[in-house]
Amino acid sequence: MDRTALVVGVTGIAGYNIAEALLAASWRVIGLSRAPRYEIPGVEHVYADVLDQPSVEAATAGRGITHLFYSTWSRQPTEAENCTVNGAMLNTTLSALAKTASLRHTVLITGLKHYLGPFEAYAEAPADTPFRETQDRLPYQNFYYEQEDILFRAAAEHGFTWSVHRPHTMIGYALGNAMNMGVTLAVYGSICRARDEQFVFPGSPQQWNGITDITDARLLGRHAVWSASEPAAANQAFNTTNGDVFRWRQMWRRLAEALGVEAAPYAGHADPLDARLAHADETWATLTDKYSLAPYRAGDLASWWHTDADLGRPVEAFADMSKSRALGFLDFQDSTRSFLDLFDTLRVQHVIPAI
């Protein structure tokens, strides 16, 4: 089949891994980002601002795009602004492609905040676990809902099918990404090791003791390609998680061992990273010189606030994958291995020190 994918947000953690999965499945891949960051072999890179429709039209015209994989967002101070800005970004992209492409299918990447609500609503009344795609929307503003409604209207108007993916915390290789807990914990562990400090869990008792899951970005890529290719997946929303569950009180010791640090006993309360790592850039500059690491600041690699938000939730969060299994997606990823593979890659790329 003639399949040309446009991956919006191709240099982010989701977009990069979707592009890699598409290339592995022999698709033609065009990657759209706002500005050059790094090249992905096999991807045709184009540049546009997804709030500027003429720039998106110029970047996509004449390229024969058949499928859209939309995997970018812009953090705003309030959820109302998140709805306005992130809704406009998707709407602009779809409006541009209505003029420059004949879309067959659009994949939208959102997340488990579909069931949790926005950051400021976590403690109110999230959906019950395990999260299932059949659960009703929560009675809060949520830019994921805004994006879904925009997608549904565009699909009805222009005659393409769609799928929505709701990953949990994504673990995978991507640098300078706001949602990458794996790299953040790798940087934090390396700093603890350099300063001879214990590896302190920064999150809530509910996260420390409760059941949770994660999403390997490589599995997300494969799941997104499957939903764009499988007729039974058309016009469906899917949870996307690894397929296993764990408790952070178990996982934290494994991560400490993998990073060469001592796991601290849990203090029984949250101890956020953002408040403790004001020195991170200074310490990281010393490590960069000592170990000839790639020239990044700690703040370029780690997202303290987002990891604090994920691990600080006062509620349990994990998702059910039965819907995908029933339709034939049987892929699985061991969650401990997700972290260990990432740490190995970061060492090979000289992003963190070897141990």
Side-chain angles (χ1 to χ4, degrees):
M1 294 175 60
D2 176 24
R3 301 177 302 182
T4 298
L6 176 70
V7 181
V8 175
V10 73
T11 56
I13 185 171
Y16 173 86
N17 284 278
I18 290 170
E20 290 285 290
L22 287 164
L23 291 170
S26 300
W27 288 54
R28 180 187 174 206
V29 181
I30 299 165
L32 187 148
S33 49
R34 187 169 185 174
R37 287 178 62 194
Y38 55 85
E39 295 290 313
I40 303 171
V43 172
E44 303 170 36
H45 287 266
V46 297
Y47 305 99
D49 180 351
V50 289
L51 284 172
D52 177 9
Q53 184 167 329
S55 75
V56 179
E57 291 177 11
T60 58
R63 294 185 176 273
I65 294 163
T66 59
H67 293 69
L68 169 64
F69 294 79
Y70 188 90
S71 61
T72 191
W73 74 297
S74 176
R75 184 192 181 198
Q76 302 299 314
T78 67
E79 195 61 19
E81 292 169 276
N82 274 329
C83 290
T84 298
V85 173
N86 288 283
M89 290 164 58
L90 177 60
N91 190 60
T92 296
T93 303
L94 290 170
S95 296
L97 292 179
K99 296 183 178 181
T100 64
S102 296
L103 282 184
R104 301 177 196 161
H105 189 88
T106 291
V107 175
L108 171 65
I109 308 299
T110 62
L112 289 198
K113 285 194 292 297
H114 183 96
Y115 308 105
L116 289 161
F119 291 120
E120 58 264 34
Y122 277 168
E124 299 293 334
D128 196 13
T129 54
F131 301 141
R132 291 186 170 88
E133 297 91 339
T134 54
Q135 288 167 312
D136 292 335
R137 290 179 174 181
L138 301 177
Y140 303 104
Q141 272 194 307
N142 191 322
F143 82 84
Y144 291 164
Y145 304 162
E146 179 74 13
Q147 288 183 317
E148 284 189 346
D149 290 342
I150 289 168
L151 175 63
F152 301 159
R153 289 194 296 268
E157 180 179 356
H158 301 294
F160 59 82
T161 55
W162 55 267
S163 51
V164 174
H165 288 263
R166 300 169 183 163
H168 199 174
T169 300
M170 276 188 277
I171 306 299
Y173 184 76
L175 305 181
N177 187 276
M179 302 180 74
N180 196 344
M181 180 192 289
V183 175
T184 298
L185 294 182
V187 171
Y188 171 48
S190 299
I191 290 173
C192 289
R193 185 165 177 262
R195 293 170 63 94
D196 196 26
E197 297 175 349
Q198 290 185 316
F199 194 51
V200 175
F201 183 73
S204 68
Q206 292 89 341
Q207 290 299 302
W208 179 252
N209 292 310
I211 295 172
T212 192
D213 54 20
I214 57 173
T215 301
D216 191 301
R218 298 169 297 185
L219 182 136
L220 172 65
R222 299 191 295 271
H223 201 192
V225 174
W226 169 83
S227 74
S229 309
E230 168 56 54
N235 302 329
Q236 299 287 335
F238 297 103
N239 296 330
T240 303
T241 59
N242 282 356
D244 61 358
V245 294
F246 61 90
R247 303 179 197 273
W248 277 109
R249 69 184 190 220
Q250 303 160 336
M251 183 66 77
W252 200 250
R253 293 191 298 272
R254 299 170 198 160
L255 301 189
E257 181 179 359
L259 293 168
V261 292
E262 181 184 355
Y266 185 53
H269 58 79
D271 193 359
L273 297 172
D274 205 22
R276 291 192 282 118
L277 287 162
H279 59 76
D281 283 345
E282 180 181 350
T283 302
W284 201 254
T286 301
L287 291 178
T288 298
D289 290 341
K290 182 177 180 179
Y291 295 103
S292 300
L293 301 180
Y296 297 104
R297 297 182 307 115
D300 295 330
L301 300 169
S303 181
W304 312 123
W305 74 268
H306 194 273
T307 295
D308 284 340
D310 271 4
L311 296 181
R313 294 178 188 138
V315 294
E316 189 177 68
F318 65 101
D320 178 76
M321 284 287 288
S322 298
K323 182 177 182 179
S324 292
R325 304 292 186 242
L327 292 177
F329 182 79
L330 306 178
D331 210 334
F332 169 86
Q333 170 65 44
D334 177 81
S335 290
T336 301
R337 195 72 252 168
S338 294
F339 284 106
L340 302 190
D341 288 351
L342 172 62
F343 297 164
D344 287 344
T345 299
L346 293 172
R347 293 183 183 109
V348 168
Q349 297 296 327
H350 303 288
V351 176
I352 64 171
I355 61 172

